[in-house]
């Protein structure tokens, strides 16, 4: 599946999604709302995207880099990742990732 955020084209190992050893932080982990929010914030980088593009982009990126997805519809994960219960530093970027669309 093509990533609408173009996230899979080049792996930026200096991204906050990778540790000092260039390992993906969320490999072998399920895509939870907090993980989803961190990936979305890193991939969107302040650009406005549609909800569908953000969901598809995050899921494809997570799977491509060794993360676990359960084959779920991730609309509810997206909503939880962008609601008021996430940390403030993630809330500040939620509208840039498409929640206003």
């Amino acid at each position: 599946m093509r990533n609408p955020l173009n996230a899979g084209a080049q792996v930026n190992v200096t991204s906050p999604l990778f540790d000092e050893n260039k390992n993906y932080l969320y490999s072998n982990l399920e895509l939870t709302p907090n993980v989803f929010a961190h990936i979305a914030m890193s991939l969107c980088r302040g650009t406005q995207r549609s909800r569908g593009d953000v969901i598809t982009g995050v899921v494809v990126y997570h799977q491509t880099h060794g993360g676990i997805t359960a084959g779920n519809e991730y609309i509810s994960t997206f909503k939880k990742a962008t609601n008021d219960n996430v940390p403030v530093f993630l809330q500040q970027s939620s509208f840039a990732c498409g929640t206003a669309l």
Side-chain angles (χ1 to χ4, degrees), residues 7 10-18 45 61 65:
Q10 288 278 347
V11 176
N12 181 359
V13 294
T14 60
S15 162
L17 298 174
F18 292 85
R45 293 183 207 95
Y61 186 90
H65 293 92

Side-chain angles (χ1 to χ4, degrees), residues 9 15 25-26 33 35 37 48-49 59 63 69-70 75 83 89 93-94 101:
S15 162
L25 293 175
Y26 304 116
V35 171
Q48 193 170 35
R49 305 295 180 120
V59 170
Q63 288 174 331
T69 55
I75 293 172
N83 75 11
F89 75 93
S93 297
S94 65
L101 300 178

